Amino acid sequence: MDKIIAIFDTPVFINITSVFLLFIVIYITTKVLHKVFFKLVNDNASKYKLKKIITFFGYLVFVFGILLIFNTKLSGIGTALGVAGAGIAFALQEVIVSVAGYIAVFSGNFYHVGDRVKLGGIKGDVIDIGILRTTLMEIGDWVDGDLYNGKMVRVANSFIFKEPVYNYSGDFPFLWDEIYVPVKTNGDYIYAKKTFTRILNDEVGDFANSSQISWDKMIGKYNIENARVQPMITMVFDQNWITFTLRYVVDFKSRRSTKSVLYDKILTAIKNSNGKIEVASSAFEITAFPKERF
């Protein structure tokens, strides 16, 4: 019995018990804060940010609490932090950089939950931002187009310091896209241009008008060219055919479906043009065959 009581009186047991109690207190406190702030905030995006911030500070308090518990003299806290910091920095370099990346993501406005990004060579929609990793719902790979392939990929936050971060929906929620239509040179190219312009205005004109507001804000925020947001038709020609380039803006999540609708309208217009517009294609003429040798 005396040995058991002696074990309970040892500094090691007291410190371990203190760490356990500290964990329980911080865990309960963070859960309570989550519920309190969730009742005060209605916006889901704000709730998500508050949850992440409260959780992060909970981890921070827990780490400093451990340092205080295992440091017998408060006056030596600086030395303890220095020694512990040096050891942690050496052994957990990638973890520390990932935590720094987590802070940079929120403070530097790199991306938010719901954004479509390319991070660490992986392209997808951000569905969660953790302290160490960002979770993406991947698009592409074996799937042709900007559609989900079913893989959830967790990328270390440290990648924001190592590679460029491509955000397809950052300050403005649209992308520029283009369609190329080859047309025979003996057709009515003026009629073709008017037809393609009408199709673009009918299908994406309203979205272009609303996107112009976001682009005007971008111009005021950054020193960038006042690029054209409204639909635009350009053309080039050579000895084979005329190539029309249909340029337009589209929602970053509707790129493939919008292109499909435009192709359908374009093919219908070509079919109903009574020969004024004909799709061009390559043709090869064989003038001679090599002689067979026996």
Side-chain angles (χ1 to χ4, degrees), residues 18-284:
S18 300
V19 170
F20 177 75
L21 293 176
L22 176 65
F23 173 79
I24 297 296
V25 171
I26 292 176
Y27 178 81
I28 295 175
T29 302
T30 53
K31 292 298 181 181
V32 171
L33 290 176
H34 286 163
K35 292 183 179 180
V36 171
F37 282 106
F38 282 8
K39 292 180 180 179
L40 298 176
V41 179
N42 296 323
D43 182 33
N44 288 332
S46 298
K47 288 181 179 179
Y48 180 84
K49 289 181 180 179
L50 282 172
K51 180 180 179 181
K52 291 296 181 180
I53 291 172
I54 293 171
T55 303
F56 175 75
F57 277 104
Y59 282 123
L60 198 63
V61 172
F62 183 66
V63 170
F64 278 102
I66 292 176
L67 292 176
L68 288 173
I69 290 171
F70 284 93
N71 183 56
T72 56
K73 296 181 180 180
L74 292 177
S75 59
I77 187 64
T79 304
L81 289 176
V83 173
I88 292 174
F90 179 78
L92 303 174
Q93 298 178 41
E94 191 68 24
V95 174
I96 293 173
V97 176
S98 292
V99 173
Y102 173 80
I103 298 173
V105 166
F106 280 99
S107 61
N109 200 30
F110 280 82
Y111 49 81
H112 304 90
V113 172
D115 285 353
R116 177 158 294 179
V117 302
K118 184 178 180 181
L119 181 64
I122 306 297
K123 184 163 65 173
D125 292 344
V126 179
I127 59 176
D128 184 61
I129 303 174
I131 292 180
L132 299 180
R133 295 178 179 84
T134 294
T135 304
L136 303 178
M137 178 62 75
E138 188 182 22
I139 61 176
D141 200 358
W142 64 76
V143 176
D144 186 20
D146 297 336
L147 299 176
Y148 292 150
N149 59 28
K151 289 193 298 184
M152 292 177 59
V153 184
R154 291 173 174 83
V155 183
N157 293 333
S158 59
F159 271 102
I160 70 169
F161 300 117
K162 300 177 181 179
E163 297 183 8
V165 177
Y166 301 92
N167 195 328
Y168 299 90
S169 57
D171 294 304
F172 52 96
F174 64 84
L175 301 171
W176 277 276
D177 203 0
E178 294 181 345
I179 289 177
Y180 304 100
V181 183
V183 174
K184 291 184 177 180
T185 54
N186 58 357
D188 189 344
Y189 71 89
I190 296 177
Y191 173 79
K193 187 173 183 179
K194 290 181 179 178
T195 301
F196 296 154
T197 301
R198 174 179 53 80
I199 292 173
L200 283 183
N201 288 329
D202 290 344
E203 295 301 323
V204 297
D206 292 338
F207 182 76
N209 292 331
S210 61
S211 299
Q212 185 68 55
I213 299 173
S214 299
W215 185 247
D216 290 340
K217 293 179 180 179
M218 280 286 294
I219 296 173
K221 184 177 180 181
Y222 302 104
N223 184 20
I224 54 177
E225 174 190 354
N226 186 11
R228 182 187 176 100
V229 177
Q230 297 299 321
M232 180 174 63
I233 307 288
T234 58
M235 70 176 191
V236 295
F237 76 93
D238 54 25
Q239 68 273 18
N240 296 317
W241 53 66
I242 301 171
T243 301
F244 286 92
T245 301
L246 285 62
R247 180 176 171 85
Y248 57 93
V249 295
V250 61
D251 184 272
F252 71 96
K253 290 187 177 181
S254 303
R255 181 169 167 261
R256 187 172 186 177
S257 60
T258 300
K259 183 171 285 189
S260 177
V261 172
L262 288 174
Y263 272 129
D264 180 69
K265 298 289 185 181
I266 291 169
L267 289 174
T268 302
I270 292 173
K271 183 178 180 180
N272 297 332
S273 66
N274 296 321
K276 291 183 179 181
I277 309 174
E278 293 183 76
V279 177
S281 59
S282 300
F284 298 94

